[in-house]
Amino acid sequence: MMPEVPLDGLTDLMSRVFVALGTPLRDADLVARELSSATALGIESHGVLRFPWYVEGIRNGRIVPGAAMGTVEETETTAVLDCAYNFGQVAGYEALRIAVTKAATHHLAAVVTRRCNHTGRLGAYADAAADLGLIAFACGTTSPPSHMVVPFGGLDGRLGTNPIAYAAPTLDDPILADFATCVASEGKARMALRHSQDLPEAALLDADGTSTRDPAVLYSSPTRRLLPLGGGAGYKGTALAVLAELLAGMLAGEIPDDADRPVNGLFLLVIDPSAFLPLDDFKSHGSALRDYIRSSRPAPGHDRIIAPGDLERSRAAPAPGQTISLDPETWQEILDACEGVGVRPGLAG
Amino acid sequence: MMPEVPLDGLTDLMSRVFVALGTPLRDADLVARELSSATALGIESHGVLRFPWYVEGIRNGRIVPGAAMGTVEETETTAVLDCAYNFGQVAGYEALRIAVTKAATHHLAAVVTRRCNHTGRLGAYADAAADLGLIAFACGTTSPPSHMVVPFGGLDGRLGTNPIAYAAPTLDDPILADFATCVASEGKARMALRHSQDLPEAALLDADGTSTRDPAVLYSSPTRRLLPLGGGAGYKGTALAVLAELLAGMLAGEIPDDADRPVNGLFLLVIDPSAFLPLDDFKSHGSALRDYIRSSRPAPGHDRIIAPGDLERSRAAPAPGQTISLDPETWQEILDACEGVGVRPGLAG
């Protein structure tokens, strides 16, 4: 039996736990909201599932709530943001703020992070930029213990799921994409296993190094190995993962196989389309592009064409009174976290 | 019987034809060299195969040799380059020159093209930027008659093969990638057919809308339809193609389904890594990344790991005395082009 909990109440509860652990209220609210939003969007791997891990991170010093962040290298268009192990979401929005400020004057800006924790859903930053009339391109990278993705033709994990996200304004909702550069992230595999579904073809390697779409293999093999996007053209997926690593890792000064690398690295590029053409024209052409793509007839087995961003919009932002299903284990972990800091687990949201 | 011709001689011959058709010598040499280089790198679809099509383009006014190019929108970090239907390669290198000049002062720069012809191999521009110690990211788009790529779950072509290329400097050769955002471009399909090979799985749609890896289907179906990169996760390939379209098309003011769009659009972003960390550190970490990726054991069926750029390097730039095999049809077309402009087809190169 999955507990059905009100999302607003859960957001408030998580925030109160973060505050009880020394997090400034504004940051606590931000992180709790981001976790809830990701869950509401169906991206459970960046959602409230992560909450107990965040609480544990604060307790063991991996996350430092309220830590003072600041730029350590800076030019008119670029910055390296030292996140000082604050929450990754707090860091991500600070990186975005810096990039947007620079782009307002100089039309382009790029920011990378150092000492950054789990940034959560990368698309959130791109989406926020598009709401300001900007194009954003973001990518992320991870530390070696999370290097589960093998290079094309390889047996050993050498890359993270290294997501890429982008967003662009249109006349209505932004065009938005946010995806791992492997076939399926570990979060996708966990969901597929729970719902007894197969993954797309050639998503994982089994113990013998043979490709499989059975998500159970990920948890029965001695080593968890994910395959790069692209199947027989998987060198393209590897090239995308390497691009993310170059921008979000190397550019921040990381050494690829350094076991002490931070949990995540973030690269955020902002482009002001009004430097190229009137913003309304850009928005109008973006809407036309989406309509043009949607105008294709669906192939057998598909009932309609889903353009980038459509899925996120169809699920929409958390609505007042919205509830979510939590697995009993996660719910118990949340209750334990509350008890541990003396927060009464009420859900009157 | 494939004619085996010296590459230097062929380059010189193509240049002389371009000059006879009114192309300034420097531009003629540049375009001829780019076509030969692509062929030498095994990228035949951007190689000398294209030469007769270029000659025809000059004759019918689609390509305007020597046309005056200039920026029509410009800021300190951005530019829209009106290519005035000059050769795409001449335009591409001019876009690169502008971007590199701006990045030298402002650390980031982005240039898009208007009225641009076939740009040839996108990786060439990224590679040239990396040789200058810069990171480059490029993408390209095409006009509706070349919209052979269906969106994920769709039956109708709505996107071009929209390539993405990037390069970054290391201690030795740049890390370099250059790939279409579909499973296989039409050029790949043509080569596979010629060599009686299958394409990677789910590369094409047949007449019934069923996915296939048989390249012959592309030429027997009433409509040529290519599938986006990613198979069952092909929404990621579509998202990549849409990114290229947004940057290289929409940002240049193109309307997606406008039949009068130019042959290609190019978006070129240049990032100066020395704005983030000492250049030598970046190069060193890039080399370490490549070594780390190569250190994976190969999977069954693979003999080694190929990192982005390795294939291009293994084929290397055209060497003095290098010869290439041309199919008789292409060779005859080249001879015809020479005859048409009164150039004696000597190959003493």
Side-chain angles (χ1 to χ4, degrees), chain A residues 75-77 106-107 147 153-156 158 166 180 182-183 188 201 232 235-236 239 253-254 256 285 292 295-297 299 305, chain B residues 75-77 106-107 147 153-156 158 166 180 182-183 188 201 235-236 239 250 253-254 285 292 295-297 299 305:
Chain A
T75 73
E76 61 198 293
T77 57
H106 302 290
H107 318 289
H147 286 184
L155 265 189
D156 299 305
R158 287 292 180 269
Y166 69 83
C182 50
V183 176
K188 281 269 170 66
E201 65 274 18
Y235 61 92
K236 301 184 184 191
E254 303 299 345
H285 299 171
Y292 178 52
S295 74
S296 164
R297 290 167 298 163
I305 306 302
Chain B
T75 73
E76 62 198 292
T77 58
H106 303 289
H107 318 290
H147 287 184
L155 265 190
D156 299 305
R158 287 293 180 268
Y166 70 84
C182 51
V183 176
K188 282 268 170 67
E201 65 273 18
Y235 60 92
K236 301 184 183 190
M250 304 304 95
E254 302 300 343
H285 299 170
Y292 178 53
S295 74
S296 163
R297 291 167 297 163
I305 306 300

Short mmCIF file of all heavy atoms in Angstrom, two decimals, chain A residues 75-77 106-107 147 153-156 158 166 180 182-183 188 201 232 235-236 239 253-254 256 285 292 295-297 299 305, chain B residues 75-77 106-107 147 153-156 158 166 180 182-183 188 201 235-236 239 250 253-254 285 292 295-297 299 305:
data_model
loop_
_atom_site.label_atom_id
_atom_site.label_comp_id
_atom_site.label_asym_id
_atom_site.label_seq_id
_atom_site.Cartn_x
_atom_site.Cartn_y
_atom_site.Cartn_z
N THR A 75 35.08 36.81 -15.21
CA THR A 75 35.26 37.84 -16.23
C THR A 75 33.87 38.44 -16.48
O THR A 75 32.90 38.03 -15.86
CB THR A 75 35.81 37.27 -17.56
OG1 THR A 75 34.76 36.53 -18.22
CG2 THR A 75 37.01 36.37 -17.35
N GLU A 76 33.79 39.35 -17.44
CA GLU A 76 32.49 39.97 -17.73
C GLU A 76 31.43 38.96 -18.17
O GLU A 76 30.24 39.17 -17.96
CB GLU A 76 32.69 41.03 -18.82
CG GLU A 76 33.22 40.42 -20.12
CD GLU A 76 33.83 41.43 -21.09
OE1 GLU A 76 33.11 42.27 -21.61
OE2 GLU A 76 35.06 41.33 -21.30
N THR A 77 31.88 37.84 -18.78
CA THR A 77 30.92 36.88 -19.33
C THR A 77 30.99 35.50 -18.67
O THR A 77 30.17 34.63 -18.99
CB THR A 77 31.18 36.65 -20.84
OG1 THR A 77 32.54 36.22 -20.99
CG2 THR A 77 30.95 37.93 -21.66
N HIS A 106 25.95 41.57 -21.36
CA HIS A 106 26.93 41.10 -22.35
C HIS A 106 26.37 40.05 -23.32
O HIS A 106 27.12 39.48 -24.10
CB HIS A 106 28.17 40.59 -21.64
CG HIS A 106 28.81 41.62 -20.76
ND1 HIS A 106 29.46 42.72 -21.26
CD2 HIS A 106 28.83 41.75 -19.41
CE1 HIS A 106 29.89 43.47 -20.25
NE2 HIS A 106 29.52 42.92 -19.12
N HIS A 107 25.07 39.69 -23.18
CA HIS A 107 24.36 38.87 -24.17
C HIS A 107 24.65 37.37 -24.08
O HIS A 107 23.83 36.55 -24.47
CB HIS A 107 24.60 39.36 -25.60
CG HIS A 107 24.55 40.85 -25.70
ND1 HIS A 107 23.37 41.56 -25.58
CD2 HIS A 107 25.53 41.79 -25.83
CE1 HIS A 107 23.62 42.85 -25.66
NE2 HIS A 107 24.92 43.03 -25.81
N HIS A 147 30.30 6.82 -11.80
CA HIS A 147 30.65 6.60 -13.21
C HIS A 147 30.18 5.21 -13.63
O HIS A 147 30.97 4.30 -13.80
CB HIS A 147 32.15 6.77 -13.43
CG HIS A 147 32.57 8.21 -13.39
ND1 HIS A 147 33.86 8.63 -13.65
CD2 HIS A 147 31.88 9.34 -13.13
CE1 HIS A 147 33.93 9.95 -13.54
NE2 HIS A 147 32.75 10.39 -13.21
N GLY A 153 31.54 0.68 -26.66
CA GLY A 153 32.44 -0.45 -26.89
C GLY A 153 33.23 -0.87 -25.67
O GLY A 153 34.13 -1.69 -25.76
N GLY A 154 32.88 -0.31 -24.49
CA GLY A 154 33.67 -0.60 -23.29
C GLY A 154 32.91 -1.41 -22.26
O GLY A 154 31.68 -1.55 -22.33
N LEU A 155 33.66 -1.95 -21.30
CA LEU A 155 33.09 -2.76 -20.22
C LEU A 155 33.07 -2.04 -18.89
O LEU A 155 32.36 -2.47 -17.98
CB LEU A 155 33.95 -4.03 -20.04
CG LEU A 155 33.55 -5.30 -20.74
CD1 LEU A 155 34.42 -6.46 -20.23
CD2 LEU A 155 32.08 -5.62 -20.52
N ASP A 156 33.86 -0.99 -18.75
CA ASP A 156 34.03 -0.36 -17.44
C ASP A 156 33.44 1.04 -17.42
O ASP A 156 33.64 1.83 -18.35
CB ASP A 156 35.53 -0.29 -17.09
CG ASP A 156 36.16 -1.67 -17.03
OD1 ASP A 156 35.64 -2.51 -16.28
OD2 ASP A 156 37.14 -1.91 -17.74
N ARG A 158 33.04 4.75 -16.99
CA ARG A 158 34.01 5.84 -17.06
C ARG A 158 33.34 7.22 -17.08
O ARG A 158 34.03 8.25 -17.03
CB ARG A 158 34.87 5.70 -18.32
CG ARG A 158 35.88 4.57 -18.26
CD ARG A 158 36.96 4.86 -17.24
NE ARG A 158 37.96 3.81 -17.13
CZ ARG A 158 37.88 2.78 -16.29
NH1 ARG A 158 36.83 2.65 -15.49
NH2 ARG A 158 38.83 1.88 -16.24
N TYR A 166 18.20 21.94 -21.94
CA TYR A 166 18.14 23.26 -22.54
C TYR A 166 16.71 23.74 -22.53
O TYR A 166 15.76 22.94 -22.38
CB TYR A 166 18.71 23.25 -23.97
CG TYR A 166 17.89 22.53 -25.00
CD1 TYR A 166 16.81 23.15 -25.61
CD2 TYR A 166 18.18 21.23 -25.35
CE1 TYR A 166 16.04 22.48 -26.56
CE2 TYR A 166 17.42 20.54 -26.29
CZ TYR A 166 16.36 21.17 -26.89
OH TYR A 166 15.59 20.51 -27.82
N ALA A 180 19.43 12.37 -19.61
CA ALA A 180 20.73 11.74 -19.41
C ALA A 180 21.30 11.33 -20.76
O ALA A 180 20.55 10.99 -21.68
CB ALA A 180 20.58 10.51 -18.52
N CYS A 182 22.98 8.70 -21.30
CA CYS A 182 22.93 7.25 -21.45
C CYS A 182 21.50 6.90 -21.91
O CYS A 182 20.66 7.78 -22.00
CB CYS A 182 23.30 6.54 -20.15
SG CYS A 182 22.41 7.16 -18.72
N VAL A 183 21.26 5.62 -22.21
CA VAL A 183 19.92 5.23 -22.67
C VAL A 183 18.91 5.45 -21.55
O VAL A 183 17.85 6.03 -21.76
CB VAL A 183 19.92 3.74 -23.11
CG1 VAL A 183 18.51 3.31 -23.48
CG2 VAL A 183 20.88 3.53 -24.27
N LYS A 188 15.64 5.78 -13.86
CA LYS A 188 14.70 5.18 -14.81
C LYS A 188 14.65 3.67 -14.61
O LYS A 188 13.58 3.06 -14.69
CB LYS A 188 15.15 5.48 -16.26
CG LYS A 188 14.80 6.88 -16.74
CD LYS A 188 13.44 6.92 -17.42
CE LYS A 188 12.98 8.34 -17.69
NZ LYS A 188 13.82 9.04 -18.67
N GLU A 201 15.83 -0.87 -25.61
CA GLU A 201 16.84 -1.86 -25.98
C GLU A 201 18.25 -1.34 -25.68
O GLU A 201 18.51 -0.13 -25.74
CB GLU A 201 16.73 -2.23 -27.47
CG GLU A 201 17.02 -1.12 -28.46
CD GLU A 201 15.81 -0.26 -28.78
OE1 GLU A 201 14.83 -0.29 -28.02
OE2 GLU A 201 15.85 0.45 -29.79
N GLY A 232 23.88 0.96 -31.54
CA GLY A 232 24.99 0.75 -32.47
C GLY A 232 25.67 2.04 -32.88
O GLY A 232 26.77 2.03 -33.42
N TYR A 235 28.59 5.69 -30.01
CA TYR A 235 29.73 6.63 -29.94
C TYR A 235 29.21 8.06 -29.85
O TYR A 235 29.90 8.95 -29.32
CB TYR A 235 30.69 6.43 -31.11
CG TYR A 235 30.07 6.66 -32.47
CD1 TYR A 235 30.12 7.91 -33.08
CD2 TYR A 235 29.42 5.63 -33.14
CE1 TYR A 235 29.53 8.12 -34.31
CE2 TYR A 235 28.83 5.82 -34.37
CZ TYR A 235 28.89 7.07 -34.95
OH TYR A 235 28.30 7.27 -36.17
N LYS A 236 28.00 8.28 -30.34
CA LYS A 236 27.42 9.62 -30.25
C LYS A 236 27.00 9.91 -28.81
O LYS A 236 27.18 11.04 -28.33
CB LYS A 236 26.21 9.75 -31.20
CG LYS A 236 26.57 9.49 -32.66
CD LYS A 236 25.39 9.72 -33.60
CE LYS A 236 25.78 9.36 -35.05
NZ LYS A 236 24.79 9.80 -36.03
N ALA A 239 30.09 10.68 -26.96
CA ALA A 239 30.56 12.03 -27.29
C ALA A 239 29.76 13.08 -26.51
O ALA A 239 30.34 14.07 -26.04
CB ALA A 239 30.44 12.28 -28.79
N GLY A 253 37.91 22.70 -13.38
CA GLY A 253 39.19 22.31 -12.78
C GLY A 253 39.22 20.90 -12.24
O GLY A 253 40.19 20.51 -11.58
N GLU A 254 38.18 20.11 -12.50
CA GLU A 254 38.16 18.74 -11.97
C GLU A 254 39.09 17.82 -12.77
O GLU A 254 39.27 18.01 -13.96
CB GLU A 254 36.74 18.16 -12.01
CG GLU A 254 35.70 18.97 -11.27
CD GLU A 254 35.98 19.10 -9.78
OE1 GLU A 254 36.81 18.34 -9.24
OE2 GLU A 254 35.38 19.99 -9.15
N PRO A 256 39.33 13.98 -14.04
CA PRO A 256 38.23 13.04 -14.28
C PRO A 256 38.16 11.87 -13.28
O PRO A 256 37.07 11.51 -12.86
CB PRO A 256 38.46 12.56 -15.72
CG PRO A 256 39.76 13.13 -16.17
CD PRO A 256 40.08 14.27 -15.28
N HIS A 285 8.96 31.99 -33.92
CA HIS A 285 9.55 30.91 -34.70
C HIS A 285 9.68 29.64 -33.86
O HIS A 285 9.55 28.53 -34.39
CB HIS A 285 10.91 31.33 -35.25
CG HIS A 285 10.85 32.52 -36.16
ND1 HIS A 285 11.96 33.17 -36.62
CD2 HIS A 285 9.80 33.18 -36.68
CE1 HIS A 285 11.60 34.19 -37.38
NE2 HIS A 285 10.29 34.21 -37.43
N TYR A 292 5.23 22.61 -36.11
CA TYR A 292 5.70 21.86 -37.29
C TYR A 292 6.05 20.43 -36.88
O TYR A 292 5.67 19.46 -37.56
CB TYR A 292 6.90 22.60 -37.86
CG TYR A 292 7.59 22.00 -39.06
CD1 TYR A 292 6.89 21.63 -40.20
CD2 TYR A 292 8.98 21.84 -39.05
CE1 TYR A 292 7.56 21.12 -41.30
CE2 TYR A 292 9.65 21.34 -40.15
CZ TYR A 292 8.94 20.97 -41.28
OH TYR A 292 9.61 20.47 -42.36
N SER A 295 3.05 18.37 -36.16
CA SER A 295 2.18 18.12 -37.32
C SER A 295 2.53 16.82 -38.03
O SER A 295 1.82 16.42 -38.96
CB SER A 295 2.27 19.29 -38.30
OG SER A 295 3.51 19.26 -39.01
N SER A 296 3.61 16.15 -37.63
CA SER A 296 3.91 14.85 -38.23
C SER A 296 2.83 13.85 -37.83
O SER A 296 2.35 13.86 -36.71
CB SER A 296 5.28 14.36 -37.74
OG SER A 296 5.43 12.97 -38.00
N ARG A 297 2.48 12.96 -38.77
CA ARG A 297 1.57 11.87 -38.40
C ARG A 297 2.30 10.95 -37.43
O ARG A 297 3.51 10.74 -37.56
CB ARG A 297 1.18 11.07 -39.64
CG ARG A 297 0.27 11.80 -40.61
CD ARG A 297 0.22 11.05 -41.92
NE ARG A 297 1.55 11.00 -42.54
CZ ARG A 297 1.90 10.16 -43.51
NH1 ARG A 297 1.04 9.27 -43.97
NH2 ARG A 297 3.11 10.19 -44.02
N ALA A 299 3.64 7.48 -35.86
CA ALA A 299 4.00 6.16 -36.39
C ALA A 299 3.15 5.11 -35.67
O ALA A 299 2.60 5.38 -34.60
CB ALA A 299 5.49 5.90 -36.16
N ILE A 305 2.62 13.03 -31.43
CA ILE A 305 4.03 13.43 -31.39
C ILE A 305 4.24 14.28 -30.14
O ILE A 305 3.50 15.24 -29.90
CB ILE A 305 4.40 14.26 -32.63
CG1 ILE A 305 4.04 13.51 -33.91
CG2 ILE A 305 5.88 14.64 -32.61
CD1 ILE A 305 4.69 12.17 -34.06
N THR B 75 26.84 42.33 -31.49
CA THR B 75 27.15 42.89 -30.17
C THR B 75 28.60 42.51 -29.89
O THR B 75 29.25 41.84 -30.71
CB THR B 75 26.25 42.32 -29.06
OG1 THR B 75 26.65 40.96 -28.79
CG2 THR B 75 24.78 42.36 -29.44
N GLU B 76 29.10 42.88 -28.71
CA GLU B 76 30.48 42.54 -28.36
C GLU B 76 30.75 41.03 -28.39
O GLU B 76 31.85 40.60 -28.64
CB GLU B 76 30.80 43.10 -26.97
CG GLU B 76 29.90 42.50 -25.88
CD GLU B 76 29.85 43.31 -24.59
OE1 GLU B 76 30.86 43.37 -23.88
OE2 GLU B 76 28.77 43.86 -24.30
N THR B 77 29.70 40.20 -28.11
CA THR B 77 29.89 38.76 -28.00
C THR B 77 29.14 37.96 -29.06
O THR B 77 29.30 36.74 -29.12
CB THR B 77 29.40 38.24 -26.63
OG1 THR B 77 28.02 38.61 -26.48
CG2 THR B 77 30.21 38.84 -25.49
N HIS B 106 36.40 38.97 -25.07
CA HIS B 106 35.23 38.83 -24.20
C HIS B 106 35.01 37.40 -23.69
O HIS B 106 34.00 37.13 -23.06
CB HIS B 106 33.98 39.37 -24.91
CG HIS B 106 34.13 40.79 -25.35
ND1 HIS B 106 34.14 41.84 -24.46
CD2 HIS B 106 34.32 41.33 -26.58
CE1 HIS B 106 34.31 42.98 -25.12
NE2 HIS B 106 34.42 42.70 -26.42
N HIS B 107 35.90 36.45 -24.06
CA HIS B 107 35.94 35.11 -23.47
C HIS B 107 34.88 34.15 -24.00
O HIS B 107 35.08 32.94 -23.98
CB HIS B 107 35.88 35.17 -21.94
CG HIS B 107 36.73 36.26 -21.38
ND1 HIS B 107 38.10 36.17 -21.41
CD2 HIS B 107 36.42 37.46 -20.83
CE1 HIS B 107 38.61 37.29 -20.90
NE2 HIS B 107 37.61 38.09 -20.53
N HIS B 147 14.51 17.73 -44.78
CA HIS B 147 13.96 17.30 -43.48
C HIS B 147 13.53 15.83 -43.58
O HIS B 147 12.36 15.52 -43.63
CB HIS B 147 12.80 18.20 -43.06
CG HIS B 147 13.24 19.56 -42.61
ND1 HIS B 147 12.38 20.50 -42.11
CD2 HIS B 147 14.47 20.12 -42.56
CE1 HIS B 147 13.05 21.60 -41.79
NE2 HIS B 147 14.32 21.39 -42.07
N GLY B 153 8.60 8.95 -32.62
CA GLY B 153 7.20 8.51 -32.68
C GLY B 153 6.45 9.01 -33.89
O GLY B 153 5.23 8.83 -33.96
N GLY B 154 7.15 9.61 -34.85
CA GLY B 154 6.47 10.21 -36.00
C GLY B 154 6.75 9.49 -37.30
O GLY B 154 7.68 8.68 -37.40
N LEU B 155 5.93 9.81 -38.29
CA LEU B 155 6.05 9.21 -39.62
C LEU B 155 6.61 10.17 -40.65
O LEU B 155 7.04 9.75 -41.72
CB LEU B 155 4.66 8.77 -40.12
CG LEU B 155 4.21 7.35 -39.91
CD1 LEU B 155 2.93 7.10 -40.68
CD2 LEU B 155 5.28 6.35 -40.35
N ASP B 156 6.54 11.48 -40.37
CA ASP B 156 6.89 12.46 -41.39
C ASP B 156 8.16 13.22 -41.02
O ASP B 156 8.34 13.65 -39.88
CB ASP B 156 5.74 13.46 -41.55
CG ASP B 156 4.45 12.77 -42.00
OD1 ASP B 156 4.50 12.09 -43.04
OD2 ASP B 156 3.43 12.90 -41.29
N ARG B 158 10.59 16.00 -40.27
CA ARG B 158 10.39 17.35 -39.77
C ARG B 158 11.70 18.04 -39.37
O ARG B 158 11.71 19.21 -38.98
CB ARG B 158 9.46 17.32 -38.54
CG ARG B 158 7.99 17.04 -38.86
CD ARG B 158 7.39 18.19 -39.64
NE ARG B 158 5.98 17.95 -39.97
CZ ARG B 158 5.57 17.40 -41.09
NH1 ARG B 158 6.45 17.00 -42.01
NH2 ARG B 158 4.28 17.25 -41.33
N TYR B 166 31.87 19.40 -31.61
CA TYR B 166 32.59 20.19 -30.61
C TYR B 166 34.04 19.78 -30.61
O TYR B 166 34.40 18.69 -31.10
CB TYR B 166 31.98 20.07 -29.21
CG TYR B 166 32.17 18.71 -28.56
CD1 TYR B 166 33.35 18.39 -27.87
CD2 TYR B 166 31.17 17.75 -28.62
CE1 TYR B 166 33.51 17.14 -27.28
CE2 TYR B 166 31.33 16.51 -28.03
CZ TYR B 166 32.50 16.21 -27.36
OH TYR B 166 32.67 14.98 -26.78
N ALA B 180 25.79 13.46 -36.74
CA ALA B 180 24.39 13.77 -37.01
C ALA B 180 23.56 13.34 -35.80
O ALA B 180 23.91 12.37 -35.11
CB ALA B 180 23.92 13.03 -38.25
N CYS B 182 20.67 12.09 -35.95
CA CYS B 182 19.88 10.90 -36.27
C CYS B 182 20.82 9.70 -36.11
O CYS B 182 22.00 9.86 -35.83
CB CYS B 182 19.32 10.99 -37.69
SG CYS B 182 20.55 11.39 -38.93
N VAL B 183 20.28 8.48 -36.25
CA VAL B 183 21.12 7.28 -36.09
C VAL B 183 22.19 7.26 -37.17
O VAL B 183 23.38 7.05 -36.90
CB VAL B 183 20.26 6.00 -36.14
CG1 VAL B 183 21.14 4.75 -36.08
CG2 VAL B 183 19.23 6.00 -35.02
N LYS B 188 25.87 8.15 -44.65
CA LYS B 188 26.21 6.85 -44.04
C LYS B 188 25.42 5.72 -44.72
O LYS B 188 25.96 4.64 -44.97
CB LYS B 188 25.86 6.87 -42.55
CG LYS B 188 26.87 7.61 -41.67
CD LYS B 188 27.94 6.65 -41.14
CE LYS B 188 29.07 7.40 -40.47
NZ LYS B 188 28.64 8.08 -39.24
N GLU B 201 20.84 -0.61 -35.69
CA GLU B 201 19.41 -0.94 -35.56
C GLU B 201 18.56 0.34 -35.53
O GLU B 201 19.01 1.38 -35.06
CB GLU B 201 19.15 -1.79 -34.30
CG GLU B 201 19.42 -1.09 -32.98
CD GLU B 201 20.88 -1.19 -32.53
OE1 GLU B 201 21.76 -1.50 -33.36
OE2 GLU B 201 21.14 -0.95 -31.34
N TYR B 235 13.46 10.09 -28.15
CA TYR B 235 13.05 11.46 -27.81
C TYR B 235 14.29 12.30 -27.47
O TYR B 235 14.27 13.52 -27.63
CB TYR B 235 12.03 11.47 -26.66
CG TYR B 235 12.53 10.87 -25.38
CD1 TYR B 235 13.13 11.66 -24.40
CD2 TYR B 235 12.44 9.51 -25.14
CE1 TYR B 235 13.61 11.10 -23.23
CE2 TYR B 235 12.91 8.94 -23.98
CZ TYR B 235 13.49 9.74 -23.01
OH TYR B 235 13.99 9.18 -21.87
N LYS B 236 15.37 11.65 -27.05
CA LYS B 236 16.61 12.38 -26.78
C LYS B 236 17.26 12.84 -28.09
O LYS B 236 17.78 13.96 -28.16
CB LYS B 236 17.57 11.51 -25.97
CG LYS B 236 16.99 11.04 -24.64
CD LYS B 236 17.99 10.27 -23.79
CE LYS B 236 17.31 9.76 -22.51
NZ LYS B 236 18.27 9.22 -21.53
N ALA B 239 15.31 15.72 -29.28
CA ALA B 239 15.63 16.92 -28.49
C ALA B 239 16.95 17.54 -28.96
O ALA B 239 17.08 18.77 -29.02
CB ALA B 239 15.71 16.56 -27.00
N MET B 250 16.45 29.00 -35.79
CA MET B 250 15.58 30.03 -35.20
C MET B 250 16.37 31.30 -34.84
O MET B 250 15.91 32.41 -35.06
CB MET B 250 14.89 29.52 -33.94
CG MET B 250 14.07 28.26 -34.07
SD MET B 250 12.76 28.31 -35.31
CE MET B 250 13.60 27.56 -36.72
N GLY B 253 16.86 33.64 -37.45
CA GLY B 253 15.66 34.24 -38.00
C GLY B 253 14.90 33.36 -38.97
O GLY B 253 13.95 33.82 -39.61
N GLU B 254 15.30 32.08 -39.09
CA GLU B 254 14.62 31.19 -40.03
C GLU B 254 13.26 30.75 -39.47
O GLU B 254 13.08 30.62 -38.27
CB GLU B 254 15.47 29.94 -40.31
CG GLU B 254 16.84 30.22 -40.87
CD GLU B 254 16.84 30.98 -42.19
OE1 GLU B 254 15.79 31.03 -42.85
OE2 GLU B 254 17.89 31.53 -42.55
N HIS B 285 43.89 18.19 -18.03
CA HIS B 285 42.72 17.43 -17.58
C HIS B 285 42.00 16.79 -18.76
O HIS B 285 41.45 15.69 -18.63
CB HIS B 285 41.77 18.33 -16.78
CG HIS B 285 42.40 18.92 -15.55
ND1 HIS B 285 41.81 19.90 -14.81
CD2 HIS B 285 43.58 18.66 -14.94
CE1 HIS B 285 42.60 20.23 -13.80
NE2 HIS B 285 43.67 19.50 -13.87
N TYR B 292 41.55 8.20 -19.34
CA TYR B 292 40.64 7.51 -18.43
C TYR B 292 39.59 6.72 -19.23
O TYR B 292 39.30 5.55 -18.93
CB TYR B 292 40.00 8.57 -17.53
CG TYR B 292 38.96 8.10 -16.53
CD1 TYR B 292 39.23 7.07 -15.62
CD2 TYR B 292 37.73 8.75 -16.44
CE1 TYR B 292 38.29 6.69 -14.68
CE2 TYR B 292 36.78 8.38 -15.51
CZ TYR B 292 37.06 7.34 -14.63
OH TYR B 292 36.12 6.98 -13.71
N SER B 295 40.99 3.74 -20.88
CA SER B 295 41.46 2.69 -19.96
C SER B 295 40.38 1.65 -19.66
O SER B 295 40.66 0.66 -18.99
CB SER B 295 41.93 3.32 -18.65
OG SER B 295 40.81 3.75 -17.87
N SER B 296 39.15 1.86 -20.13
CA SER B 296 38.11 0.84 -19.96
C SER B 296 38.50 -0.40 -20.76
O SER B 296 39.03 -0.30 -21.87
CB SER B 296 36.76 1.37 -20.44
OG SER B 296 35.85 0.31 -20.66
N ARG B 297 38.21 -1.58 -20.20
CA ARG B 297 38.38 -2.80 -20.99
C ARG B 297 37.36 -2.80 -22.12
O ARG B 297 36.23 -2.34 -21.94
CB ARG B 297 38.15 -4.04 -20.12
CG ARG B 297 39.21 -4.28 -19.06
CD ARG B 297 38.70 -5.31 -18.07
NE ARG B 297 37.51 -4.82 -17.37
CZ ARG B 297 36.66 -5.59 -16.69
NH1 ARG B 297 36.85 -6.90 -16.64
NH2 ARG B 297 35.62 -5.06 -16.08
N ALA B 299 34.49 -4.22 -24.57
CA ALA B 299 33.42 -5.22 -24.46
C ALA B 299 33.60 -6.27 -25.55
O ALA B 299 34.31 -6.03 -26.53
CB ALA B 299 32.07 -4.52 -24.62
N ILE B 305 38.86 0.90 -27.07
CA ILE B 305 37.93 2.00 -26.86
C ILE B 305 38.35 3.16 -27.73
O ILE B 305 39.52 3.56 -27.74
CB ILE B 305 37.95 2.45 -25.38
CG1 ILE B 305 37.71 1.26 -24.46
CG2 ILE B 305 36.93 3.57 -25.14
CD1 ILE B 305 36.40 0.56 -24.67
#
